Amino acid sequence: MDTFLAIASRRDWKRYADRPIAEDVVQRILDAGRLAGSGGNRQPWRFFVIESRALRDEIAETVFAPQNVLGARLVVAVGVRGKGPTAFDGGRAVQNMLLAAWNEGIAATPNGVADPERIRSLLALAEDERPLIVLTFGHPRRPLDPESRSAEEWSAEANRKPLAEVVERR
C-alpha cells in the first residue's frame, strides 16, 4: 500500500472481530516499532505483549477506555526510559506499529494511560522507565478496503482541522 494512502485511510478502531492475529503479522507489527528512529539511536522503548488474561484485565483498569483492551486480540504496552524527548521517540515507534498493522489489514487504537503508577507496577518497569501508551489491535469487525478510495478522498473525509488552520508559513 502507498504510504500516504495508509496514513490518510487509517482510523482508530475500538472494537474488533473475535479471531486471532497470525503470529507472523504480530512479529511484523512489533518489528516495525523496533525499526523506528530515535534521538542518538537510544531506542528508549520496550514493548510488553500482554498475553496473560489476568494481566490484560488488570491493564484494562489502567487505561481511559478499558473495553478497548478487553476486546483486543493483541495488546502491547509501551514503556520508555531515560531523559529527554523519549516520548517523541516512543511515539515514532507507536506510529510505525499502527501503520504496519493497518498495512496488514489489522485495526488498532492507542489507549491513554489513566493510572501510570499502577501500570508501572503491573509491568515491573525499571526505576528510569515510565509507561507511554497501551496499543490494542484486532481484525476489524467489518471489512476494510483502504484502496477503495484515493488518499485525497480519505483525507477529505477525515475529521481533522483543515491544513490551512494548522500550517503557518513564516
Side-chain angles (χ1 to χ4, degrees):
M1 177 185 319
D2 172 73
T3 303
F4 190 70
L5 177 60
I7 292 166
S9 65
R10 200 192 88 66
R11 302 289 187 270
D12 291 343
W13 289 60
K14 296 174 174 82
R15 294 176 26 194
Y16 309 103
D18 187 25
R19 59 183 235 243
I21 301 171
E23 186 58 31
D24 65 316
V25 173
V26 171
Q27 291 303 312
R28 286 175 56 94
I29 292 168
L30 295 169
D31 201 32
R34 179 187 70 87
L35 292 170
S38 66
N41 200 26
R42 290 180 297 165
Q43 303 169 54
W45 47 72
R46 270 205 300 168
F47 311 137
F48 300 86
V49 178
I50 310 303
E51 295 178 328
S52 158
R53 188 73 209 177
L55 181 56
R56 180 179 295 203
D57 291 347
E58 290 190 79
I59 295 288
E61 295 173 4
T62 71
V63 301
F64 290 107
Q67 66 279 10
N68 296 348
V69 174
L70 297 174
R73 294 308 297 225
L74 170 64
V75 177
V76 179
V78 179
V80 293
R81 68 182 177 285
K83 298 183 186 319
T86 58
F88 177 78
D89 288 345
R92 293 172 74 183
V94 165
Q95 187 71 356
N96 275 12
M97 287 190 271
L98 295 173
L99 288 171
W102 190 242
N103 186 65
E104 297 288 339
I106 302 299
T109 196
N111 298 272
V113 176
D115 190 345
E117 289 310 312
R118 182 154 182 229
I119 197 170
R120 170 190 284 275
S121 174
L122 290 169
L123 297 175
L125 296 180
E127 192 172 306
D128 68 338
E129 285 181 299
R130 64 187 183 282
L132 180 65
I133 201 145
V134 176
L135 302 175
T136 53
F137 300 88
H139 289 278
R141 284 194 166 186
R142 58 183 158 81
L144 59 93
D145 182 10
E147 295 179 339
S148 66
R149 300 181 192 149
S150 70
E152 291 74 21
E153 290 169 314
W154 282 108
S155 179
E157 183 185 281
N159 183 18
R160 298 289 182 267
K161 292 179 181 178
L163 195 56
E165 284 186 35
V166 299
V167 174
E168 285 186 35
R169 297 183 186 266
R170 296 178 179 220

